[in-house]
């Protein structure tokens, strides 16, 4: 009986092997042996948009069609191809460099990879996004660097390329790609001396706008001395809990192995921390270190700020004020001015906050920089006002804060 079972097992194994071999041998065979040339598409219509067009059509009455192929040049040199399956009646062509008429050649392709005769279709895309965005881009002096602003209402994936010059030789000093509707960022690390720059916009297809040249003198910036910071508790501040008192917020320790600032659960929101900078300074930016993972997963959770504001006052002894959950930038309440409203960025990995990765935690440990608007006034005192935490709880905490600006 044992030998019979072995023989049956061997036979079954052989059959499986033969079936597998047969599959492998036929894997690369043509999908069809019908070498008939397919007919072209008909009833073609074009819908143009910025930088591209949607072409609709009717397929030939044949079950042998696999897809429709479009071939076209986007800038007179680069040839692109796009395909649309048998189950669709539309093909998209995009990446055109200008607002003008272009030829698009359509083919139907059979399952035996036989192409139809060519059918040339005229498309007239509107002005491509990179040319629409370029006139809105502006570069201006910022603290320690250059501030780039602009608008991208179509949310196209575009890059702003910044050039720096040494004599007559230029070099790329920054590249910023984004799909955001508002372009607003700073390139820092420069002394307050004249610097010649250039900038242009590029898209995913290699199309490049013209270049604008400027001479800019970055504003002076330095990090404020945290040894001068002082607690300035006000009645509406959050109640301190677990020994995580305010001075830990500027003790230089950011890795989560020590205390930070922590308010008591069950407190009123926003949770507020008020302290003095020791100088009157025009702030340029600040870095916030949230609580990273430790014994528990604190990053993107617990009492870490998700939505928060920064308020400031230049009074020598500013009075308490009840801060709202939110207020427009520049709002003045008593002695306090809203210096900015902020959202802590989500996990860079794209994971949900509760499932953040080790790399996401490293991002938290490195600290996140937030800009203070150039129009903001000088301040001596600041208030960190946390309206929403990642756990939507009734307490807040943070490890460290550092401030940059001009205290001269």
């Amino acid at each position: 009986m044992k030998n019979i079972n072995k023989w049956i097992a061997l036979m079954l194994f052989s059959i499986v092997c033969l079936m597998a071999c047969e599959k492998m041998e036929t894997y690369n065979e043509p999908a069809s042996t019908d070498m008939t040339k397919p007919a072209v598409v008909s009833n073609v219509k074009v819908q143009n948009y910025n930088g591209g067009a949607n072409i609709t059509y009717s397929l030939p009455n044949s079950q042998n069609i696999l897809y429709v192929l479009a071939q076209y040049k986007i800038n007179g040199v680069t040839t692109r191809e796009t395909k649309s399956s048998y189950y669709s009646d539309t093909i998209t062509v995009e990446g055109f460099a200008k607002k003008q008429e272009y030829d698009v050649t359509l083919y139907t392709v059979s399952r035996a990879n036989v192409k139809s005769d060519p059918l040339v279709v005229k498309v007239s895309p509107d002005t491509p996004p990179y040319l629409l965005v370029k006139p809105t881009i502006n570069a201006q002096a910022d603290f320690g660097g250059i501030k780039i602003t602009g608008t991208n209402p179509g949310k196209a994936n575009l890059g702003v390329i910044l050039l720096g010059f040494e004599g007559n030789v230029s070099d790329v000093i920054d590249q910023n790609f984004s799909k955001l509707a508002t372009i607003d960022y700073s390139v820092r690390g420069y002394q307050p001396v004249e610097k010649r720059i250039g900038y242009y916009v590029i898209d995913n297809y290699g199309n490049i706008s013209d270049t604008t040249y400027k001479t800019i003198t970055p504003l002076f910036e330095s990090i404020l001395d945290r040894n001068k910071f002082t607690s300035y508790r006000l009645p509406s501040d959050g109640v301190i809990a677990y020994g995580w008192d305010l001075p830990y917020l500027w003790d230089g320790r950011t890795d989560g192995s020590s205390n930070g600032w922590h308010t008591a659960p069950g407190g009123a929101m926003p949770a507020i921390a008020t302290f003095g900078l020791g100088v009157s300074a025009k702030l340029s930016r600040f870095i916030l270190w949230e609580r990273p993972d430790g014994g528990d997963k604190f990053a993107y959770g617990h009492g870490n700020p998700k939505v928060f504001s920064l308020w400031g006052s230049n009074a020598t002894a500013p009075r308490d004020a009840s801060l709202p959950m939110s207020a427009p930038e520049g709002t003045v309440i008593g002695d306090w001015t809203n210096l900015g409203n902020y959202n802590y960025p989500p996990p860079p990995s794209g994971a949900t906050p509760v499932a953040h990765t080790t790399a996401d935690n490293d991002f938290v440990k490195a600290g996140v920089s937030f800009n203070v608007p150039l129009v903001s006034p000088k301040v001596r005192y600041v208030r960190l006002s946390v309206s929403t935490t990642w756990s939507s709880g009734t307490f807040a905490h943070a490890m460290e804060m550092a401030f940059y600006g001009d205290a001269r």
Side-chain angles (χ1 to χ4, degrees):
M1 181 64 68
K2 185 181 292 185
N3 290 335
I4 291 173
N5 288 337
K6 284 184 178 180
W7 182 82
I8 292 173
L10 180 61
M11 288 293 293
L12 290 173
F13 177 75
S14 300
I15 291 170
V16 171
C17 288
L18 286 171
M19 291 176 65
C21 290
E22 184 178 351
K23 281 188 177 181
M24 291 301 295
E25 289 171 359
T26 60
Y27 183 79
N28 290 321
E29 289 182 2
S32 172
T33 58
D34 184 355
M35 302 303 291
T36 304
K37 180 186 290 187
V40 297
V41 296
S42 59
N43 194 29
V44 175
K45 296 179 182 178
V46 176
Q47 182 181 22
N48 297 297
Y49 60 87
N50 295 106
N54 291 318
I55 304 172
T56 60
Y57 48 79
S58 298
L59 286 168
N61 186 19
S62 171
Q63 297 299 314
N64 198 35
I65 302 300
L66 184 60
Y67 62 87
V68 173
L69 170 69
Q71 293 180 335
Y72 52 100
K73 289 186 176 182
I74 59 175
N75 52 23
V77 177
T78 305
T79 299
R80 282 180 55 80
E81 290 187 351
T82 55
K83 297 178 181 179
S84 180
S85 79
Y86 170 79
Y87 300 100
S88 175
D89 66 351
T90 304
I91 193 164
T92 298
V93 292
E94 56 189 356
F96 296 102
K98 298 178 182 179
K99 179 183 179 180
Q100 65 179 42
E101 188 176 79
Y102 294 86
D103 288 341
V104 177
T105 304
L106 298 181
Y107 299 91
T108 51
V109 182
S110 74
R111 295 180 181 277
N113 205 31
V114 177
K115 291 199 299 186
S116 70
D117 291 329
L119 176 66
V120 177
V121 176
K122 304 286 187 181
V123 299
S124 300
D126 291 333
T127 305
Y130 80 102
L131 291 180
L132 291 175
V133 170
K134 174 57 171 57
T136 75
I137 301 297
N138 184 43
Q140 63 185 107
D142 199 356
F143 287 95
I146 302 154
K147 185 177 181 66
I148 306 294
T149 58
T151 57
N152 178 17
K155 297 184 179 180
N157 189 26
L158 300 172
V160 179
I161 311 301
L162 185 63
L163 305 175
F165 288 83
E166 292 293 338
N168 293 322
V169 179
S170 66
D171 191 18
V172 174
I173 58 176
D174 186 71
Q175 303 178 64
N176 185 281
F177 287 84
S178 172
K179 291 183 178 179
L180 296 177
T182 300
I183 300 168
D184 188 348
Y185 66 95
S186 296
V187 181
R188 303 188 189 274
Y190 297 100
Q191 297 298 316
V193 295
E194 279 192 354
K195 184 172 184 63
R196 186 166 180 254
I197 64 163
Y199 56 88
Y200 59 86
V201 177
I202 187 171
D203 66 13
N204 286 346
Y205 310 99
N207 297 314
I208 301 174
S209 73
D210 61 340
T211 302
T212 298
Y213 299 94
K214 281 188 172 183
T215 298
I216 289 178
T217 303
L219 305 176
F220 174 83
E221 180 192 62
S222 65
I223 186 170
L224 273 59
D225 185 356
R226 281 180 277 186
N227 291 321
K228 296 181 179 179
F229 291 8
T230 56
S231 297
Y232 190 76
R233 290 188 177 87
L234 293 174
S236 61
D237 281 2
V239 176
I240 296 299
Y242 312 115
W244 284 43
D245 209 346
L246 257 179
Y248 291 117
L249 199 55
W250 54 83
D251 65 357
R253 303 175 70 178
T254 64
D255 62 2
S257 63
S258 63
N259 291 359
W261 164 72
H262 200 309
T263 65
M269 300 298 279
I272 301 170
T274 307
F275 52 98
L277 301 174
V279 292
S280 176
K282 185 170 176 59
L283 301 179
S284 58
R285 58 190 171 109
F286 62 93
I287 300 176
L288 173 65
W289 284 269
E290 294 200 345
R291 190 177 184 180
D293 291 344
D296 294 307
K297 296 195 77 171
F298 293 110
Y300 298 101
H302 215 54
N304 277 325
K306 181 179 181 182
V307 181
F308 59 97
S309 302
L310 187 72
W311 295 72
S313 175
N314 205 37
T316 55
R319 296 162 295 175
D320 190 24
S322 179
L323 300 183
M325 290 288 281
S326 65
E329 180 185 296
T331 297
V332 177
I333 299 179
D335 293 332
W336 300 93
T337 301
N338 182 309
L339 303 180
N341 302 307
Y342 306 95
N343 291 274
Y344 194 87
S349 70
T352 57
V354 294
H356 65 269
T357 66
T358 300
D360 295 329
N361 185 56
D362 290 341
F363 175 79
V364 172
K365 290 171 68 175
V368 177
S369 182
F370 298 91
N371 290 340
V372 176
L374 286 170
V375 296
S376 296
K378 296 181 73 171
V379 296
R380 297 175 186 271
Y381 295 88
V382 293
R383 305 189 85 182
L384 172 65
S385 176
V386 181
S387 57
T388 306
T389 65
W390 284 97
S391 66
S392 299
T394 55
F395 64 96
H397 54 59
M399 297 307 304
E400 189 81 7
M401 293 188 77
F403 290 84
Y404 292 78
D406 188 353
R408 295 177 302 175

